[in-house]
Structure formats: structure tokens, C-alpha cells
Amino acid sequence: MNNNNVISNSKVEVPKGMTLNDKDYLGDLLSCLKAMIKDYTVVMTEASNEELYHHYESMFTSLLNTQRKVFEMMFRKGWYKLEKAESMKIDQKAQMLGQELADLNN
């Protein structure tokens, strides 16, 4: 991947070594939040009680918002990088999804 395809911020340096640093803690938190979001998705699909479902849905939304905030913080600190998608790939994907949608509607 060449540097023109990378979207990132200046990296905030953290201490190296055996002790945990802010990047380690946030990375672990982000992983835990992602796992919890997946688990809540399963729980919500299996909730048979409407009130319980809405309770889980509320917690799911809260977890989702927290996960996004942690990701954005890591991205701002340069600890998370994104890759730019080529416009041709985006167009191809949009066409493919449009065709799949059309097939579903037929």
C-alpha cells in the first residue's frame, strides 16, 4: 500500500516496553467493545420479550456509540490508519450492490 492510499493522523508516541500504555489500553478497549457489540447483536435476535429486546437495544446503541468514540480517539492520535478506496473499486461495488438489490426485488 503506498502512502497516497493511507489516511492517518500524526502518531502520538507512547512509551515502549513491557508496561501497558494508553495505546494498549485503548486498543484492548476497542477490541472488547467490538466483541460485545457482536454478542449484543446475537442477544437481540434471540430476545423473545419486547421489553427485554428494547433494553438490550438501548445498551447496544450505547456500546456502539462508545466504540465509535474510542475508534475516533485512536484515529486522531495516529494509532489507527485507514486505506483510501480507489474510486473505480467504489463504483464497481456500488454497481454490484445495485444489481443484487434489483435481483432481490424481482
Side-chain angles (χ1 to χ4, degrees):
M1 167 173 41
N2 84 35
N3 288 340
N4 292 337
N5 289 335
V6 175
I7 302 169
S8 64
N9 291 306
S10 298
K11 187 176 182 180
V12 173
E13 293 300 324
V14 292
K16 299 196 185 315
M18 294 297 292
T19 58
L20 296 174
N21 56 49
D22 289 347
K23 179 183 175 187
D24 296 326
Y25 286 119
L26 286 174
D28 189 48
L29 177 59
L30 186 62
S31 293
C32 288
L33 288 166
K34 287 179 179 181
M36 289 173 70
I37 288 166
K38 289 177 189 174
D39 292 342
Y40 268 84
T41 302
V42 172
V43 167
M44 287 172 26
T45 62
E46 296 177 357
S48 59
N49 178 286
E50 195 69 22
E51 186 176 336
L52 185 59
Y53 172 84
H54 289 296
H55 185 68
Y56 287 144
E57 183 181 35
S58 174
M59 292 187 296
F60 172 83
T61 301
S62 178
L63 286 169
L64 196 60
N65 291 333
T66 302
Q67 181 273 330
R68 184 66 189 179
K69 288 175 186 174
V70 171
F71 164 78
E72 288 173 349
M73 182 185 303
M74 290 187 75
F75 182 73
R76 280 192 312 272
K77 291 183 177 282
W79 299 336
Y80 213 103
K81 295 179 182 177
L82 302 174
E83 180 183 348
K84 278 187 195 176
E86 297 173 19
S87 58
M88 184 176 83
K89 287 184 179 180
I90 294 171
D91 292 342
Q92 288 173 341
K93 190 66 164 183
Q95 287 175 349
M96 182 191 78
L97 292 172
Q99 184 59 51
E100 287 180 7
L101 180 60
D103 292 346
L104 288 172
N105 289 325
N106 289 332

